[in-house]
Amino acid sequence: MIVRTFHKGSALIACMIVLVIVSAMSVALAALSAANVQIARNQGRGNQAFANAESGLEVTRYWLSHVRIPSSTPTSQYFSTVLADVQSDLQDNSVTDFVVANDGSVGPVTLDPNTGQVFSGQWSVDATHPTILDIASTGASGIASRTVGVHFSIEPYRFPIFNYGIATKGAIRFPQNPTLTGASQNWEADIYVESNNDLIAIEVGGNANFDGDIDIGNPSANVSFGGDIQIAGDFGQTAVNEHVTIGVEPVEFPVPDTTRFEQYATGPVIDSTTSLAAPGMTLINAKIQANTNPTFPGNVTLQGVLFIEAPNIVTFGSNVVLQGLIVAEPSAASWGANQINFEGNFASSSYPAGSQFDAIRKEQGSSILAPSSSVSFTGNFASVNGVMAAGSLYFSGNASATVKGTMISYSPASTYVEGNISMDFDRASAVEIPAGFDLLRVLVYDPTSYAMLF
């Protein structure tokens, strides 16, 4: 016989136990959900703070990109010069919400007052590394904050004009058949013509064979080709349509500092009493005195620097071999009062061996610096070993030349390149900052220095 035993209320107890467990789980899940919501909210604030720090960094990069420091500035004054330059720029542009103090502190700058979005920053320079500007940008979102840091290097400025093989303020005239090629790449033979005073920026009388593109500053100017056209591998009107750009952003024409080269002219001084009748002459680190107006009838080899005081009309009646650099002193007189005329063959190369050239050997990348002089080549020329910057340029001989640098003409008058001339521009390995043009310092962002600080 089976006897059943009944425990009254056991089901109720079991239900209560289950209910307690489920309630506890519900409370735990609610707490966990609340914690996850808070974590997500904090993560969102952190991400927003990081975005605010990034915004501060981008604003900083924008204003630092405008800074230009004269090369004569002592490194110990780089930081104060940067601050003064940015403060002046902000004032000129009526910017009041982004403020840089004299100690390099920035902000805080409010991005959204309703949600507490701000950024601030600190600029600083380590005294042991005065050419490195340290930037810390801190973003805040409510109670969350994030800081990122980067470095800017203070380096010499490379002027955009050196992106071209030829750059002229005036128009260019090629009466015959010019060939301008790039030694290894087409861009090495690019041309810039400002041509503000002439509606025909480039005129070619015969056939034209150009490897590089042509940029024209005057938006109203055009080009004129009398014969067949080849530009960067394209022909005819297609070549013009694809490779001639009119109305580009104007390019700055920097004027080199020629006075710094006089210190190297420690050799002979050419004046009105100097005999120039020798059939061959070698001048080493020489100087031509102002108003001498010499004519060299024989072959001349120039080694090191030839420094020409102004005013002067210097004529080389025969062949010239330049192993170094020709520098003509700046002058307020007209270009006609300052001339350098090469009537024979011309070729330039690097400095020769010898201790007498050790001081100037660091001055690389330029061949002729004569921004106030008319420079003419009526004979043939075979090579130009660096930048040729002249008040005006004129070529009339038939020549096949290698040019290792940019040819610059500051004259608003036309540059004439007569004769069936061929120039091969070898600029791929050219000196980044040519001698004489180390005029400014700029801030260069170093992306590899980017770091989250805290």
Side-chain angles (χ1 to χ4, degrees), residues 166 171-180 191 193 198-212 214 216 222-231 239-240 244 414-421:
I166 297 178
I172 304 180
R173 302 286 178 251
F174 297 96
Q176 298 192 50
N177 305 297
T179 297
L180 306 179
I191 300 172
V193 182
D198 203 316
L199 294 182
I200 301 299
I202 293 184
E203 183 177 24
V204 181
N207 301 327
N209 181 8
F210 297 155
D211 273 358
I214 299 171
I216 298 172
N222 213 321
V223 294
S224 174
F225 295 96
D228 295 333
I229 314 166
Q230 177 176 316
I231 307 177
V240 175
V244 176
S414 296
T415 294
Y416 280 86
V417 185
E418 299 178 346
N420 293 312
I421 199 162

Side-chain angles (χ1 to χ4, degrees), residues 70-133:
S71 60
S72 59
T73 305
T75 55
S76 61
Q77 296 179 18
Y78 277 178
F79 184 51
S80 60
T81 303
V82 169
L83 295 177
D85 200 348
V86 172
Q87 289 167 348
S88 177
D89 199 8
L90 292 170
Q91 182 177 1
D92 291 344
N93 287 277
S94 301
V95 176
T96 58
D97 55 349
F98 182 79
V99 178
V100 183
N102 290 335
D103 64 352
S105 59
V106 177
V109 178
T110 300
L111 298 173
D112 186 346
N114 297 321
T115 58
Q117 310 300 319
V118 300
F119 72 79
S120 58
Q122 181 65 54
W123 303 358
S124 60
V125 167
D126 187 335
T128 59
H129 298 91
T131 61
I132 302 295
L133 178 65

Side-chain angles (χ1 to χ4, degrees), residues 21-166:
I21 292 173
V22 171
S23 298
M25 292 177 62
S26 298
V27 171
L29 287 173
L32 181 61
S33 297
N36 286 338
V37 169
Q38 186 61 43
I39 290 172
R41 186 178 293 116
N42 291 342
Q43 184 68 39
R45 288 172 177 167
N47 290 340
Q48 186 60 55
F50 175 73
N52 295 341
E54 286 282 310
S55 296
L57 179 59
E58 288 306 309
V59 172
T60 298
R61 288 182 62 182
Y62 172 79
W63 290 108
L64 289 179
S65 70
H66 299 171
V67 172
R68 298 291 183 268
I69 304 173
S71 60
S72 59
T73 305
T75 55
S76 61
Q77 296 179 18
Y78 277 178
F79 184 51
S80 60
T81 303
V82 169
L83 295 177
D85 200 348
V86 172
Q87 289 167 348
S88 177
D89 199 8
L90 292 170
Q91 182 177 1
D92 291 344
N93 287 277
S94 301
V95 176
T96 58
D97 55 349
F98 182 79
V99 178
V100 183
N102 290 335
D103 64 352
S105 59
V106 177
V109 178
T110 300
L111 298 173
D112 186 346
N114 297 321
T115 58
Q117 310 300 319
V118 300
F119 72 79
S120 58
Q122 181 65 54
W123 303 358
S124 60
V125 167
D126 187 335
T128 59
H129 298 91
T131 61
I132 302 295
L133 178 65
D134 297 318
I135 301 295
S137 178
T138 300
S141 177
I143 61 172
S145 68
R146 296 289 186 274
T147 301
V148 296
V150 296
H151 300 325
F152 284 79
S153 298
I154 301 175
E155 302 176 1
Y157 177 57
R158 186 180 189 277
F159 291 91
I161 199 169
F162 299 119
N163 294 331
Y164 296 94
I166 297 178

Side-chain angles (χ1 to χ4, degrees), residues 10 30 81 89 132 149 169 177-178 198 254 258 292 302 316-317 354 379 390 436 447 454:
S10 60
T81 303
D89 199 8
I132 302 295
K169 277 187 172 289
N177 305 297
D198 203 316
T258 58
T292 301
L302 304 173
F316 296 96
F454 52 84

